[in-house]
Amino acid sequence: MQWASLLLLAGLCSLSQAQYDEDPHWWFHYLRSQQSTYYDPYEPYPYEPYEPYPYGVEEGPAYAYGSPPPPEPRDCPQECDCPPNFPTAMYCDNRNLKYLPFVPSRMKYVYFQNNQISSMQEGVFDNATGLLWIALHGNQITSDKVGRRVFSKLRHLERLYLDHNNLTRMPGPLPRSLRELHLDHNQISRVPNNALEGLENLTALYLQHNEIQEVGSAMRGLRSLILLDLSYNHLRKVPDGLPIALEQLYLEHNNVYSVPDSYFRGSPKLLYVRLSHNSLTNNGLASNTFNSSSLLELDLSYNQLQKIPPVNTNLENLYLQGNRINEFSISSFCTVVDVMNFSKLQVLRLDGNEIKRSAMPVDAPLCLRLASLIEI
């Protein structure tokens, strides 16, 4: 009986050894099977691979061991585009819109230009009181369809583009925070004295290409205004008083026939004045009208001048072409001509007048010694 037991044990050992000889890596599989069932109590979770995150997110700890949060509700109008990389801007331009869509509260820049919008109803911007820019140019907006208090809650608005519409009146009241106001290419006929009241931060006002006949004293309170464009209108008079900070004044293509004496001295920073294509005559100009020490460029071309008006010696560019000037008076540039007194004029255009080059006085080269171009 003992011999039988020994023989049975020897057979089992031979069978096991044969299996190990067939798979020399049996021990590796054994350890791996033991590891798969081993759990380290110091690890918070066993290692498990997870699927990539949904909604375009590749990976992140927030979704690793739970269901993703529901998508955020859509807060951009279907008619517009709100790019994720510029979350405070809404683009609704060039889409044939006939109305103003809802504006989410987070928006600061909205672009509605080049549509068919004809009205701005009350309250359309009340939800987005933090707006900085509103672009509404290139539409069909009329004055009778603009709510009187449509801008009343926009206390941070800086730029308003209403050009290329069908406005016949100045909109208002306007936010005091405005810095740029674009109203050009409309059908506005007048600017009432109180139309721009309170706009002390306004730096640029564009009113060109309208039908304005009168401005009055509407500009006087604009103490921060740097640029004023009233070109291509029907003005017969210049505005009653200019802002003190004004640097650029554009009045070309009007019907202005006179400018008061010392008119520009109230704007000591004025650099550029354009009065071309008007009806100016020498009778409508006083002797000191353009004697402003700050002026660098003066355009009086295409008027009805017969004499060169006196200008300050600091002037650098003077355009007088297309008038009726028939004499070259050096006193218009230099009251005294000597080595120490001369004009800083660099460009002088007198072509298209009734004057000839031979009419230049002999002391002209001494007075205009800095001129690089004198066109006669």
Side-chain angles (χ1 to χ4, degrees):
M1 188 68 181
Q2 293 179 351
W3 285 104
S5 300
L6 290 173
L7 289 174
L8 180 61
L9 180 61
L12 290 174
C13 290
S14 300
L15 180 61
S16 299
Q17 183 64 40
Q19 290 178 350
Y20 298 150
D21 291 340
E22 291 178 0
D23 186 6
H25 302 292
W26 63 270
W27 57 273
F28 176 76
H29 296 295
Y30 172 78
L31 292 176
R32 188 171 183 180
S33 64
Q34 293 298 315
Q35 184 181 15
S36 63
T37 59
Y38 175 73
Y39 176 64
D40 186 351
Y42 296 102
E43 291 287 341
Y45 298 100
Y47 172 78
E48 293 181 1
Y50 51 85
E51 296 295 328
Y53 299 136
Y55 307 107
V57 182
E58 295 183 356
E59 60 179 59
Y63 304 155
Y65 303 103
S67 60
E72 295 182 1
R74 182 178 178 87
D75 60 351
C76 183
Q78 294 183 356
E79 307 91 335
C80 307
D81 182 24
C82 307
N85 58 341
F86 198 4
T88 59
M90 187 170 78
Y91 296 89
C92 313
D93 52 306
N94 297 284
R95 307 190 184 211
N96 294 319
L97 295 179
K98 296 183 178 180
Y99 59 90
L100 282 171
F102 172 79
V103 182
S105 59
R106 74 173 189 273
M107 295 303 168
K108 295 184 182 297
Y109 309 91
V110 289
Y111 302 92
F112 302 112
Q113 69 268 24
N114 301 325
N115 282 291
Q116 300 178 29
I117 299 170
S118 60
S119 65
M120 285 190 294
Q121 61 272 24
E122 295 280 4
V124 68
F125 300 122
D126 286 1
N127 186 62
T129 57
L131 282 173
L132 299 177
W133 287 24
I134 298 178
L136 276 161
H137 51 285
N139 279 283
Q140 302 173 12
I141 301 172
T142 58
S143 293
D144 57 343
K145 293 185 178 181
V146 177
R148 177 165 177 77
R149 300 188 60 80
V150 68
F151 305 114
S152 62
K153 294 186 179 181
L154 304 181
R155 298 181 179 179
H156 305 285
L157 191 65
E158 294 182 357
R159 297 189 182 186
L160 177 58
Y161 296 83
L162 284 170
D163 49 289
H164 292 85
N165 277 282
N166 298 322
L167 297 174
T168 55
R169 299 188 302 270
M170 294 285 293
L174 297 168
R176 294 175 178 265
S177 56
L178 268 184
R179 295 184 179 275
E180 286 190 19
L181 178 57
H182 298 255
L183 292 170
D184 50 285
H185 292 85
N186 278 283
Q187 302 167 22
I188 300 171
S189 59
R190 61 187 296 266
V191 183
N193 292 337
N194 62 346
L196 303 169
E197 187 175 0
L199 301 185
E200 297 181 352
N201 296 308
L202 195 66
T203 59
L205 176 58
Y206 299 91
L207 285 165
Q208 69 270 26
H209 289 277
N210 275 283
E211 300 175 4
I212 301 173
Q213 300 180 13
E214 183 181 355
V215 174
S217 59
M219 308 297 167
R220 285 186 174 178
L222 305 178
R223 64 182 186 183
S224 300
L225 196 67
I226 294 175
L227 186 152
L228 174 59
D229 195 340
L230 283 162
S231 59
Y232 292 89
N233 278 285
H234 304 309
L235 293 173
R236 293 181 57 84
K237 295 173 56 180
V238 292
D240 295 341
L242 295 176
I244 190 172
L246 196 65
E247 296 181 6
Q248 303 177 49
L249 176 62
Y250 302 107
L251 290 167
E252 65 265 32
H253 289 274
N254 278 283
N255 298 317
V256 176
Y257 61 89
S258 66
V259 182
D261 189 19
S262 303
Y263 178 69
F264 301 107
R265 290 189 178 180
S267 302
K269 298 181 180 180
L270 192 61
L271 301 173
Y272 307 99
V273 173
R274 292 183 182 174
L275 273 161
S276 63
H277 296 274
N278 276 279
S279 303
L280 292 173
T281 64
N282 291 98
N283 293 332
L285 301 176
S287 58
N288 289 319
T289 297
F290 301 112
N291 189 15
S292 174
S293 60
S294 64
L295 274 183
L296 296 180
E297 181 173 303
L298 176 61
D299 189 351
L300 299 174
S301 58
Y302 300 100
N303 279 280
Q304 301 176 25
L305 300 173
Q306 295 180 328
K307 296 180 180 180
I308 301 174
V311 295
N312 194 273
T313 55
N314 289 330
L315 191 69
E316 296 182 359
N317 300 282
L318 178 59
Y319 302 95
L320 291 166
Q321 69 270 23
N323 278 278
R324 301 176 183 176
I325 298 172
N326 53 27
E327 65 176 86
F328 195 118
S329 54
I330 200 65
S331 60
S332 297
F333 308 102
C334 300
T335 55
V336 177
V337 182
D338 56 28
V339 177
M340 301 298 296
N341 296 282
F342 56 91
S343 172
K344 295 181 181 178
L345 203 66
Q346 299 178 17
V347 175
L348 173 60
R349 288 196 57 181
L350 285 165
D351 47 307
N353 281 280
E354 300 174 8
I355 192 173
K356 297 181 179 180
R357 181 171 291 274
S358 59
M360 286 186 63
V362 294
D363 53 354
L366 188 59
C367 171
L368 304 175
R369 67 187 71 175
L370 299 181
S372 58
L373 175 64
I374 299 180
E375 191 74 33
I376 297 180

